[in-house]
Amino acid sequence: MSYVKGLFCRECGRKYPAEPINVCDFCFGPLEVIYDYDSISKVISRETISSGPMSIWRYHHLLPADHENAVDINAGMTPLIKSHNFAKSLGLENLYFKNDSVNPSFSFKDRVVAVACTKALEFGFDTLACASTGNLAGSVAAHAARAGMKSYVFIPADLEPGKVLGAAVYGPNIMAVDGSYDDVNRLCSEIADNYNWAFVNINMRPYYAEGSKTLGFEVAEQLGWKAPDNCIVPVASGALLTKIWKGLNEMASMGLIDPVKTKMFAAQAQGCAPVVTAFDANTFNVRPVKPATIAKSLAIGNPADGYYALRTIAESMGGAWAVAEDEVADGIKELAEKEGIFTEPAGGVVIGALKHLVETGQIDPSETTVAYITGNGYKTQEVVQDVVRPHLIKPTMASFEAAIKL
Ligand SMILES: *Cc1c(COP(=O)(O)O)cnc(C)c1O
Ligand SMILES: [Zn+2]
């Protein structure tokens, strides 16, 4: 069973039953899940969590879907790696990388889709769908395959080949749309009105977005039941950043960790930085942009949760930084060379932001800092093509020794 009582509008507070709906009929505000926190607080404990499955479902009390019927390909419980080399180069004592690139479909999207797909089956849908910047398509296709559902995934036509293949292999219907992600999303909203499909990030969005809380839960558990002092989070729609903060605060209100003093930092690439631009201008109103960035998984010009991400940054006394486009690939290479983690451009953006925040004194060297690495570099190999330089040799000692003297 789940502890969902219904939905409420984040703007006007009006209540709705727990149905596959995502906007308020009265004010068009986004809907959010209401939980029965009193009942949850009576049953949840550090013990119930740590004796649970090695997946996001160990936090099932605080997720809006029935874990006993979970569509489960083992999303979550990814490594939290204490940094040695990067930390040393930056002068940090307690730097960690949350390596979410090793989820089943190789991005953090498995967390949100596991919840949305499980909920879609509960509602009786037979088709799972999404508007995707790339990683979501792969995760939706994989979970639909596991659930025995049909799937339709919509992507911008100019997506990286590795992302397209990484979705196609699971057998979905892939619609490559001649337009930006924002065009794809607009089209999908129209389709969602006309087809009885579970669009994970449209009509299922209130449930879907809750899956991201597990990136807060997990890090706190892995740090020994302690919230980090700083989180650096890549931002596309802004949901992930908002929900990590929500997850940490839920844990505190359930008495699982101390009150949260975490600062939330947003990382975007300069070619698509509407949230950072609003932060710099000291406003909560996000002005949409036309994305032109190497970080395609973050290329949302009109972010659905941009306003809430900015509220979270302000409330947590965090910050935001837009990384120069030509620093993104450098960040990918540096993380690979220093820590042995191969990430995609979203991770390169996080590395660029981390370095800036340290250099400008926004991160205290003794504090605990977690940088979220959310997607895998094998899907976007072309952005680091220039590192591929094997020594071509003959199968002889002479040829080998001549080569290593070069
Ligand atoms: C989707 C995505 C994000 C951002 O998620 P939002 O919740 O839309 O802000 C970050 N990193 C990667 C790799 C993603 O695929
Ligand atoms: Zn409303």
Side-chain angles (χ1 to χ4, degrees):
M1 67 170 270
S2 80
Y3 293 86
V4 173
K5 291 210 301 200
L7 301 172
F8 75 99
C9 172
R10 280 199 271 183
E11 290 306 312
C12 73
R14 210 173 238 98
K15 289 185 178 157
Y16 292 85
E19 283 170 4
I21 49 174
N22 64 312
V23 284
C24 176
D25 291 337
F26 292 86
C27 78
F28 302 107
L31 303 182
E32 175 125 345
V33 174
I34 309 170
Y35 292 95
D36 179 0
Y37 286 120
D38 283 345
S39 300
I40 297 172
S41 69
K42 292 191 184 100
V43 288
I44 199 169
S45 67
R46 292 181 180 181
E47 291 69 36
T48 62
I49 293 171
S50 44
S51 64
M54 290 296 281
S55 73
I56 62 164
W57 298 105
R58 68 205 275 109
Y59 310 105
H60 69 88
H61 294 106
L62 293 164
L63 293 174
D66 179 5
H67 71 291
E68 272 150 20
N69 298 308
V71 180
D72 190 6
I73 54 175
N74 236 4
M77 284 314 268
T78 56
L80 180 72
I81 295 166
K82 176 138 198 202
S83 168
H84 297 304
N85 301 326
F86 224 121
K88 199 164 156 203
S89 74
L90 293 173
L92 297 184
E93 289 157 40
N94 292 299
L95 173 64
Y96 293 82
F97 294 107
K98 179 61 171 166
N99 185 8
D100 230 34
S101 74
V102 294
N103 268 302
S105 78
F106 307 104
S107 83
F108 100 90
K109 292 297 197 300
D110 288 329
R111 298 174 181 276
V112 280
V113 175
V115 174
C117 184
T118 300
K119 200 70 189 173
L121 278 186
E122 259 176 59
F123 285 137
F125 287 106
D126 66 1
T127 303
L128 203 63
C130 68
S132 174
T133 57
N135 287 317
L136 186 58
S139 187
V140 162
H143 282 85
R146 172 76 176 179
M149 298 174 83
K150 289 177 282 206
S151 64
Y152 282 82
V153 301
F154 296 76
I155 54 174
D158 70 348
L159 212 56
E160 301 99 332
K163 295 255 170 87
V164 180
L165 185 101
V169 72
Y170 303 109
N173 299 288
I174 303 189
M175 302 292 160
V177 180
D178 180 14
S180 69
Y181 171 80
D182 299 285
D183 297 322
V184 174
N185 193 44
R186 223 174 301 119
L187 170 65
C188 285
S189 297
E190 243 183 282
I191 297 171
D193 285 339
N194 289 284
Y195 288 74
N196 191 28
W197 293 351
F199 271 90
V200 297
N201 54 345
I202 301 177
N203 51 335
M204 299 299 293
R205 192 171 179 86
Y207 311 96
Y208 158 93
E210 288 288 287
S212 288
K213 292 189 306 190
T214 60
L215 263 175
F217 299 154
E218 239 173 74
V219 161
E221 184 183 354
Q222 288 171 319
L223 287 172
W225 304 102
K226 205 165 111 4
D229 299 306
N230 307 292
C231 290
I232 306 169
V233 183
V235 166
S237 72
L240 173 59
L241 182 141
T242 312
K243 295 290 181 169
I244 289 172
W245 172 249
K246 179 179 178 187
L248 291 171
N249 282 287
E250 276 183 348
M251 280 186 115
S253 71
M254 295 290 114
L256 299 166
I257 59 173
D258 286 340
V260 176
K261 295 193 207 93
T262 310
K263 298 191 224 36
M264 301 296 296
F265 293 93
Q268 295 195 297
Q270 277 181 1
C272 181
V275 172
V276 178
T277 304
F279 176 81
D280 288 341
N282 236 320
T283 170
F284 292 133
N285 290 326
V286 177
R287 185 175 300 168
V289 300
K290 200 174 172 322
T293 176
I294 189 175
K296 291 179 192 284
S297 58
L298 305 180
I300 299 185
N302 188 11
D305 290 276
Y307 167 82
Y308 300 100
L310 287 160
R311 295 294 299 247
T312 300
I313 294 165
E315 199 184 330
S316 71
M317 297 190 293
W321 182 246
V323 176
E325 290 293 324
D326 63 2
E327 287 172 17
V328 175
D330 296 341
I332 295 174
K333 289 181 229 170
E334 203 174 342
L335 184 64
E337 288 169 11
K338 290 207 167 94
E339 303 288 353
I341 298 171
F342 182 18
T343 186
E344 64 145 281
V349 167
V350 167
I351 296 303
L354 166 67
K355 291 170 74 170
H356 170 83
L357 294 169
V358 174
E359 280 158 16
T360 53
Q362 295 181 68
I363 282 181
D364 182 302
S366 66
E367 288 181 346
T368 300
T369 297
V370 175
Y372 283 88
I373 304 301
T374 48
N376 198 297
Y378 282 100
K379 292 192 198 179
T380 56
Q381 297 179 31
E382 55 287 337
V383 302
V384 288
Q385 276 302 333
D386 59 326
V387 301
V388 180
R389 40 169 191 236
H391 299 284
L392 192 59
I393 62 169
K394 299 222 160 53
T396 65
M397 280 303 283
S399 177
F400 164 65
E401 286 178 344
I404 61 170
K405 282 199 200 88
L406 288 176

